[in-house]
Each structure stands twice: as C-alpha cells, then as structure tokens.
Amino acid sequence: MYVRPSLHGRGRSDHVALTFDDGPDPASTPAFLAELDRLGWHATFFMLGEMARQAPGLAAEVAAAGHEIAVHGEEHRNMLRRSPRAARADIRRCRDTLVEVTGATPTWFRPPFGTLAFGALWGARREGLTTVLWTNWGRDWRGDSSPEAVAADVLHRDIKGGTVLLHDSDRQSDPGAWRHGLGSLRILADAFAQRGLTVGPLRDHGVRGARVPTRV
Ligand SMILES: [Zn+2]
C-alpha cells in the first residue's frame, strides 16, 4: 500500500511534532508533564479511552497544561482483527470519553500498533478524525534501552518536519521503560536546538494528514 508522507506526520521542515501514546498513566504521565513544562514544550497525547476513564483528573490536567488530546483507541487492540463497525465504535467510544473528561475536541487518530487496518481508517474518518502515524520513533518500550539510545533512535532518521513517537506510559512497554523516553527529552532538546527546530503538537505541525486510501 502506498502511504503518503502526510500519513506519517511529515510537516513543516523547521518543526518537530512531539507525540506520546498509551496514557494517561498516573505512574508516569505527571513526570512527562513536569519535564515538558520545564522545556517549554507542548505535545500531542494519543490517549486510550480506558486509561482516561481510570484517571480522568490526569487526562484533564494534560489538556489544561495546553497539550493536544488525540485518540489512540478505547483499548490497545489490533484493529486488523476488528470489523469496520467494531473499529469505528472503539474509536468513537475513546473520542467521546476524551471529550467528556478533558473538554478538548480531538482531531487526530493513531491506531494501536500503527496498523493501517481499513476499518480503523474508515471509522476514524467517519468520526471526523485524521489518521497520523509517525516518522521517527525512540523504541522507548524496551526495558534495556537508555535515554541516550532513545534519543539516538529518534534522530536516526531525518528529523526535520518529523513526527516523533514516544510513550508516556509503559502499559504496552517493558515495566519502567517510560523512564528512558522521559530521560531522552533533555538530550533531544539540545539536538533540536542545534538544528534550529522548534517543537510542538501536531496542530502546529502543518501536516495535512491522511485520507482513507482506496486500497489497503
Ligand atoms: Zn500504543
């Protein structure tokens, strides 16, 4: 399947979009909020509906801090195994939860595991959401990683105009792996500054996003 650069979140070349998946998580998300505040950065948080319902106050806190709220799905289930109707219902339930607990209006969807199932792409579009994946990841789910390794992975591919995938929860990662991603942020701050790149959420990234492909 041909995937447009916009589906991966390729945006304007002087900017990096920073995104966090799988939260909000009381064990780790507050540490990310503190570090982002220290760095003066805003990011996009792709939340899980079931996580947001377990920690509605924290979800609201993320939004109140000026971060962008986005849809990652109700549960972290592979959309390839779901019918279009079930995928759409999952996306809608997550979106409705996020609207309820954060007051934000999500506009982005990222499928769990990044799997481009037709049903999920179709369902997201029917719910008025734009699907976006990522261009750069830190492989921050590995327990044996390190802040330096995460930063090196993020910078391994062209970072100008990139969308960076990290995780503010270890729900799908090795226990404690989020600390590597958290620690990578100060290293990335230096690297981005050296390249003259500003950092922000997807809403500021100038990415048009994806349309449902005619074939998947
Ligand atoms: Zn995820």
Side-chain angles (χ1 to χ4, degrees):
M1 184 182 84
Y2 170 70
V3 175
R4 293 197 220 179
S6 57
L7 180 58
H8 287 290
R10 183 66 69 185
R12 53 191 175 86
S13 61
D14 62 345
H15 192 258
V16 172
L18 188 57
T19 70
F20 295 95
D21 287 10
D22 295 354
D25 190 329
S28 45
T29 302
F32 283 87
L33 292 180
E35 181 68 351
L36 291 171
D37 182 58
R38 189 183 73 80
L39 292 166
W41 288 352
H42 287 117
T44 302
F45 285 77
F46 284 88
M47 294 184 173
L48 293 167
E50 64 175 15
M51 296 288 279
R53 269 198 307 285
Q54 287 170 26
L58 180 56
E61 194 181 322
V62 175
H67 301 293
E68 187 176 34
I69 307 301
V71 174
H72 196 34
E74 179 55 25
E75 304 167 338
H76 210 284
R77 284 179 58 179
N78 191 332
M79 294 286 190
L80 284 172
R81 302 198 189 98
R82 313 196 85 171
S83 70
R85 178 185 289 207
R88 181 179 178 183
D90 182 289
I91 291 165
R92 181 197 297 139
R93 186 159 185 231
C94 177
R95 195 266 319 278
D96 289 351
T97 294
L98 298 182
V99 168
E100 184 183 329
V101 302
T102 70
T105 305
T107 60
W108 306 99
F109 167 67
R110 175 179 287 155
F113 309 105
T115 48
L116 290 172
F118 173 80
L121 291 167
W122 173 84
R125 189 173 184 192
R126 291 299 296 265
E127 294 301 321
L129 301 170
T130 299
T131 298
V132 65
L133 299 179
W134 59 87
T135 61
N136 300 62
W137 68 16
R139 294 196 293 165
D140 56 332
W141 54 83
R142 300 173 304 159
D144 62 352
S145 189
S146 67
E148 292 75 16
V150 171
D153 271 332
V154 168
L155 298 168
H156 179 67
R157 295 179 67 184
D158 183 16
I159 191 65
K160 291 179 179 174
T163 290
V164 174
L165 165 64
L166 292 172
H167 298 81
D168 63 309
S169 168
D170 59 11
R171 186 184 184 282
Q172 297 294 126
S173 308
D174 293 339
W178 61 269
R179 294 181 189 279
H180 306 315
L182 178 69
S184 75
L185 296 179
R186 59 181 169 74
I187 303 171
L188 291 172
D190 288 341
F192 295 158
Q194 282 172 12
R195 291 164 172 78
L197 296 167
T198 56
V199 177
L202 279 165
R203 64 176 175 235
D204 297 339
H205 197 43
V207 60
R208 286 181 300 115
R211 294 288 176 249
V212 175
T214 51
R215 288 163 187 252
V216 289

